Amino acid sequence: MAEDLVLDTAIRDWVLIPLTVVMILIGVLRYFVSKLMRSQQNPDAKVVREGQVVIRARNLRAGANFIPAKSFRARRAYFSNEENGLLHVPKGQGQNPQAQMFSDPNMAMDMMKKNLSMIIPQTLTFAWVNFFFSGFVAAKIPFPLTQRFRSMLQNGIDLSTVDVSYVSSRSWYFLNLFGLRGLFSLILGEENELKYDISNAAMDDTQRMMQMSGFGMDPTKVGLGERVVNKIMSLSIHYLASLSFGCCHHFAALGQSFALHVAAVMLLLSLGRSIGLLFFTTLDMSRALLGTRNGKSGKNLSAEKDGLDIIQHEWALPKFEQRAEAALKKLIS
Amino acid sequence: MVTKTEETQLNRLESQVDNGGGGAWEYLCLVRKLKVRRSVKVLKHGLWILNDSKKRSSLGPEEWTLYEQVAVAAMDCQSLDVAKDCVNVLQKKFPESKRVGRLEAMLLEAKGSWGEAEKAYSSLLEDNPFDQVVHKRRVAMVKAQGNLSGAIDLLNKYLETFMADHDAWRELAEIYISLQMYKQAAFCYEELILSQPAVPLYHLAYADVLYTLGGIENLLTAKKYYSITIDLTGGKNTRALFGICLCTSAIAQLSKGRNKEDKDSPDLQSLASAALEKEYKQRASDKLSALTLAFKTLKVSS
């Protein structure tokens, strides 16, 4: 690369910023649309009951020492006897999520709805971006990158001589699409972040489709990967925040450098995402290799059962007579 | 559970609102958040906001929440006309809503037309069998009619599914006690202790039940639960102190003639009675003679 390209400030004003604003607005709009379309489903009786059983068993485990031994033993028998204990899961009946998915057409229907609400606006915005903003070099990131990033950052510009740190407008669109997630969780509140995340919904469903096609994945492990992603995202958001404070100080130098910093943040965001995705796919690969696959609910129950079975009951109350004496002595004196 | 700081905050806000210091909406929000039952005040201040169209519209969408809150408070105060007006406004705004349907059923219940209310509740349950509030309303309704065993049946059925709901366990325990079914009540209190081991009131109630059941083993256990109550409250709970004295005296009576295994129990009992005496001296010195008389009849030393 011989010399730097000089980017027109009009590109910043008419491509970079409008594109970002539009992406944010679309994200917000999509959030509300998907909220409208989300069908209120009645929870399954079995699922509700199982959740409650697990809570109660957990309470029993945590508070076991506060009730007399006889009461504890009676409860343990009620929860974990081999015939009809609440926590006892008969062998082979641990429901596996794939079977659950096929048995419940509502679930597939829901997924379709969510997918549609993702795909249609995405296609439209992509067409719009292609039509209006194709071929711009929109921004430059402030650090050098290797050639491998070219396809990611310079989508739509087929020039091998342009330095990789320049970002094309179409790539900017993609970075926005995948990288605005953290920002949305700030705008729309935390609740959407976990389950009904916008930029993520399509991704989740792709994963579920993968699951359907036999590539076994465990939702809990996906959750773990997601948490890693979220962590990285929030770090990047902090970076963004500190940058915007910095910008207040250097208002004069805002011009191009602001765009560059934003680009850097976006890149970080998308990198974080891919690292997270990588992380939990490897997790699942290892699980698949080990061959441990089980339904989530059944596993929960039997885990609770094991926890109850190994617990040693030691009534804590006799200790409290001495402690009461101590408390009273303190009170009287 | 309402903590002490929350309660003082609520009381401060309440007196401020009562004396015309403003902040009525904040007060109502706090009442809603803490889920306390101050229906008279809620009705008064809520109506004051609702009748002022300027204040009402400044709430924005929260207006409807206020209508709901005032409607429930009005039912509690038997101002059925007010409740009816509120429910009608909500009905007009949300014609299909289940939440309004619930309010209508509650209005029927408040009027005392049990049959219709029951019908309304069961149709609500058909739509959503997991509506915990409706289940609880049904229990309350049966209980209000005086049919305690029916309430027990309903609660048991409810707890079969929602077995982690400790409020329901508590209600069940209290109904069992009122029917003198102490063994069942003891089970419910065990359940409550399990779910919240740090709440002294449950330990105290469990101890009461065990003491009432009687028998040397239960008495010994009851004493232990009175001790944990004392430990958790720092000896501030008078009932637990009396409980220790009663238990010790009852144990002494029962184990008369038998060899004494409990060596350290008189110590705890004398400490408890000393604490009681101190408290009576401080707060109600005129009743001190009654206390010493009670100790004498219990044959416990102080």
Side-chain angles (χ1 to χ4, degrees):
Chain A
M1 197 53 225
E3 63 245 35
D4 284 348
L5 291 176
V6 178
L7 298 184
D8 194 345
T9 47
I11 291 181
R12 183 194 67 210
D13 293 345
W14 294 101
V15 179
L16 195 77
I17 293 171
L19 200 53
T20 316
V21 170
V22 164
M23 287 306 292
I24 291 173
L25 289 182
I26 285 176
V28 172
L29 189 75
R30 196 186 289 154
Y31 168 72
F32 286 112
V33 169
S34 66
K35 209 171 159 188
L36 277 181
M37 277 171 69
R38 202 183 308 150
S39 63
Q40 167 118 45
Q41 61 206 36
N42 279 345
D44 186 27
K46 204 173 148 232
V47 175
V48 172
R49 204 177 127 91
E50 265 172 13
Q52 299 268 319
V53 168
V54 167
I55 295 175
R56 197 171 157 208
R58 210 165 281 164
N59 282 342
L60 176 60
R61 208 161 38 134
N65 293 342
F66 287 97
I67 59 171
K70 212 167 80 188
S71 316
F72 172 73
R73 279 198 299 271
R75 278 180 174 74
R76 181 159 71 182
Y78 176 59
F79 277 120
S80 67
N81 72 60
E82 296 287 326
E83 275 167 33
N84 56 354
L86 287 182
L87 290 174
H88 183 63
V89 186
K91 266 205 179 110
Q93 216 180 306
Q95 209 184 13
N96 121 6
Q98 266 157 284
Q100 202 182 338
M101 184 120 50
F102 283 119
S103 67
D104 186 3
N106 266 341
M107 214 161 158
M109 188 65 201
D110 240 38
M111 229 153 65
M112 279 275 285
K113 265 191 202 165
K114 236 190 321 182
N115 255 338
L116 274 185
S117 76
M118 287 305 298
I119 289 168
I120 293 176
Q122 251 171 42
T123 333
L124 288 179
T125 37
F126 185 67
W128 176 76
V129 168
N130 248 349
F131 185 75
F132 278 102
F133 300 124
S134 61
F136 283 108
V137 174
K140 179 180 190 286
I141 41 174
F143 44 82
L145 283 168
T146 55
Q147 291 296 321
R148 296 223 164 217
F149 285 94
R150 186 180 293 283
S151 60
M152 185 170 118
L153 290 183
Q154 294 185 355
N155 202 317
I157 306 176
D158 296 327
L159 287 174
S160 57
T161 47
V162 183
D163 193 277
V164 183
S165 51
Y166 288 97
V167 184
S168 76
S169 54
R170 200 194 292 171
S171 296
W172 180 244
Y173 161 76
F174 279 118
L175 288 181
N176 273 295
L177 183 67
F178 292 115
L180 280 177
R181 177 193 149 94
L183 194 65
F184 285 134
S185 75
L186 280 182
I187 302 172
L188 301 172
E190 289 289 313
E191 40 124 12
N192 76 317
E193 193 184 17
L194 294 171
K195 211 167 174 185
Y196 301 107
D197 181 67
I198 306 147
S199 69
N200 204 28
M203 198 69 94
D204 277 349
D205 283 344
T206 344
Q207 282 158 19
R208 278 212 238 165
M209 292 295 182
M210 269 159 73
Q211 218 172 339
M212 276 231 236
S213 58
F215 189 81
M217 265 197 183
D218 184 16
T220 52
K221 287 298 184 308
V222 175
L224 185 58
E226 285 295 285
R227 254 170 303 177
V228 175
V229 180
N230 283 345
K231 192 78 211 164
I232 297 168
M233 293 298 164
S234 60
L235 282 178
S236 324
I237 286 294
H238 285 186
Y239 177 51
L240 182 65
S242 62
L243 271 183
S244 48
F245 276 118
C247 282
C248 295
H249 290 302
H250 309 286
F251 207 72
L254 197 122
Q256 211 168 1
S257 70
F258 180 69
L260 297 186
H261 280 301
V262 175
V265 172
M266 290 306 167
L267 188 73
L268 263 179
L269 288 174
S270 58
L271 273 181
R273 220 187 141 70
S274 10
I275 292 168
L277 279 173
L278 195 75
F279 180 71
F280 72 79
T281 27
T282 37
L283 256 179
D284 268 291
M285 294 291 267
S286 58
R287 271 172 41 77
L289 282 176
L290 286 171
T292 50
R293 204 195 298 166
N294 199 357
K296 191 183 171 195
S297 57
K299 205 164 63 188
N300 257 344
L301 286 186
S302 50
E304 281 302 320
K305 180 174 182 293
D306 293 344
L308 262 187
D309 281 341
I310 58 168
I311 198 171
Q312 292 286 323
H313 184 263
E314 191 192 343
W315 201 25
L317 266 293
K319 221 169 35 204
F320 277 93
E321 290 200 345
Q322 271 99 51
R323 287 179 65 172
E325 274 176 33
L328 285 179
K329 264 183 201 146
K330 214 164 109 194
L331 190 75
I332 294 169
S333 61
Chain B
M1 277 287 161
V2 182
T3 64
K4 199 128 195 175
T5 46
E6 283 168 340
E7 200 180 333
T8 48
Q9 190 193 357
L10 184 70
N11 286 337
R12 207 180 56 225
L13 204 54
E14 187 176 272
S15 64
Q16 181 194 327
V17 177
D18 279 343
N19 299 324
W25 173 242
E26 286 74 20
Y27 171 69
L28 292 170
C29 284
L30 195 63
V31 168
R32 211 162 48 222
K33 193 179 130 209
L34 300 180
K35 295 189 179 125
V36 289
R37 183 174 179 177
R38 309 224 167 162
S39 302
V40 181
K41 305 271 179 197
V42 167
L43 182 60
K44 187 175 149 206
H45 301 309
L47 267 186
W48 179 70
I49 294 182
L50 284 182
N51 286 334
D52 190 335
S53 60
K54 208 161 140 210
K55 280 202 188 66
R56 196 179 61 207
S57 52
S58 73
L59 295 178
E62 294 286 333
E63 182 185 346
W64 311 111
T65 325
L66 182 59
Y67 268 115
E68 189 187 20
Q69 193 182 8
V70 171
V72 175
M75 285 174 212
D76 199 16
C77 300
Q78 279 294 311
S79 325
L80 294 181
D81 299 335
V82 177
K84 197 162 183 210
D85 291 342
C86 291
V87 174
N88 282 343
V89 171
L90 286 172
Q91 169 72 27
K92 221 174 264 166
K93 171 81 184 170
F94 310 100
E96 292 289 304
S97 164
K98 300 252 165 57
R99 203 158 147 185
V100 178
R102 207 154 69 197
L103 279 179
E104 281 172 342
M106 280 167 77
L107 191 61
L108 288 174
E109 188 191 330
K111 273 184 204 151
S113 34
W114 308 118
E116 285 173 61
E118 173 65 34
K119 226 180 278 166
Y121 282 134
S122 16
S123 77
L124 281 173
L125 279 185
E126 254 165 46
D127 289 338
N128 177 15
F130 299 105
D131 195 332
Q132 302 195 20
V133 178
V134 174
H135 277 291
K136 287 181 178 178
R137 284 314 319 160
R138 273 179 80 198
V139 174
M141 200 169 71
V142 175
K143 194 183 165 195
Q145 286 167 281
N147 178 6
L148 285 184
S149 55
I152 287 177
D153 288 344
L154 276 179
L155 263 178
N156 274 322
K157 223 166 73 194
Y158 170 79
L159 281 170
E160 228 161 72
T161 315
F162 301 99
M163 51 177 74
D165 185 344
H166 54 258
D167 289 326
W169 281 112
R170 188 171 174 183
E171 181 66 35
L172 187 61
E174 277 160 19
I175 295 178
Y176 274 135
I177 284 185
S178 66
L179 289 177
Q180 306 187 350
M181 297 161 83
Y182 295 114
K183 269 189 185 144
Q184 288 86 339
F187 183 90
C188 299
Y189 279 120
E190 279 163 13
E191 210 51 56
L192 283 168
I193 289 172
L194 282 177
S195 66
Q196 290 170 317
V199 177
L201 286 177
Y202 298 151
H203 292 283
L204 182 64
Y206 184 51
D208 284 347
V209 171
L210 285 176
Y211 175 76
T212 318
L213 273 171
I216 187 94
E217 202 173 310
N218 282 334
L219 284 172
L220 284 169
T221 317
K223 201 171 147 199
K224 294 190 173 65
Y225 278 93
Y226 282 125
S227 321
I228 194 177
T229 315
I230 289 175
D231 182 52
L232 288 173
T233 54
K236 296 275 159 59
N237 191 312
T238 315
R239 193 180 176 88
L241 293 174
F242 271 120
I244 291 281
C245 295
L246 284 170
C247 276
T248 317
S249 120
I251 291 167
Q253 265 177 11
L254 276 175
S255 61
K256 212 180 272 172
R258 267 182 259 169
N259 56 339
K260 281 207 169 177
E261 316 145 16
D262 254 0
K263 283 154 262 159
D264 57 350
S265 58
D267 203 18
L268 180 61
Q269 182 269 317
S270 60
L271 280 170
S273 40
L276 274 174
E277 247 171 30
K278 190 183 172 194
E279 193 150 316
Y280 269 79
K281 256 179 212 155
Q282 267 176 3
R283 307 215 179 153
S285 44
D286 51 325
K287 302 221 172 71
L288 197 60
S289 56
L291 182 73
T292 37
L293 195 71
F295 281 155
K296 234 176 240 163
T297 50
L298 283 175
K299 289 186 202 142
V300 292
S301 56
S302 69

